[in-house]
Amino acid sequence: MSRGVSDKITYKPYNQGEQWLLPPSLDELVPQNHFVRIVSKTVDELEIDEVFARNTKGGGASRYNPVMLLKVLIYCYMTGIYSSRQIAKQCRENVNVMWLTGFQKPDFRTINTFRSEKLRGS
């Protein structure tokens, strides 16, 4: 056997239960040039807060930000996900969508209601 070569198999350390002193932020997990950042920046530049505010009555329980929901819908549509249940699943499992939502997890009914009421006729 040549020098520096071994027949022994070695593996990288693997520990699913490893504790972190500080967990990574979602911002660190999404690359700076990722498509999801472009979607977010583009929707932010549209300045559509006033459009949603005009068509919404006050009172009641707190709501998800309509700009956030719009970003999620646009990103999911552009990645081929159209079902409100699948979009809600992305909000729970996909790091890029979790970054868009700021770790909020709207359910499929919220997404469907937003889509049918706020985006109707748009």
Side-chain angles (χ1 to χ4, degrees):
M1 187 179 312
S2 65
R3 184 178 169 125
V5 177
S6 171
D7 288 337
K8 182 181 175 189
I9 298 173
T10 59
Y11 297 102
K12 295 182 183 291
Y14 173 69
N15 181 3
Q16 284 184 303
E18 184 174 347
Q19 298 291 317
W20 294 39
L21 181 59
L22 296 172
S25 73
L26 283 175
D27 201 53
E28 295 173 18
L29 299 176
V30 178
Q32 290 299 318
N33 60 349
H34 195 277
F35 179 67
V36 74
R37 291 184 184 271
I38 296 169
V39 169
S40 180
K41 185 176 179 186
T42 302
V43 173
D44 286 341
E45 290 175 359
L46 293 176
E47 297 178 11
I48 54 177
D49 290 327
E50 296 170 10
V51 173
F52 288 124
R54 257 184 291 160
N55 299 320
T56 304
K57 295 179 184 176
S62 63
R63 305 166 193 172
Y64 289 106
N65 190 313
V67 174
M68 179 269 290
L69 292 169
L70 181 62
K71 289 177 184 182
V72 169
L73 284 178
I74 290 172
Y75 178 74
C76 287
Y77 286 177
M78 295 182 90
T79 56
I81 301 167
Y82 304 100
S83 159
S84 58
R85 290 180 189 268
Q86 288 300 313
I87 293 170
K89 182 178 179 182
Q90 294 295 309
C91 291
R92 294 186 312 270
E93 298 177 1
N94 185 320
V95 172
N96 299 322
V97 179
M98 289 190 298
W99 177 81
L100 270 181
T101 65
F103 251 138
Q104 296 180 14
K105 297 170 179 70
D107 66 2
F108 74 94
R109 286 183 190 91
T110 301
I111 294 165
N112 198 39
T113 301
F114 174 76
R115 189 167 37 188
S116 63
E117 292 179 2
K118 300 296 182 192
L119 300 181
R120 180 179 293 158
S122 298

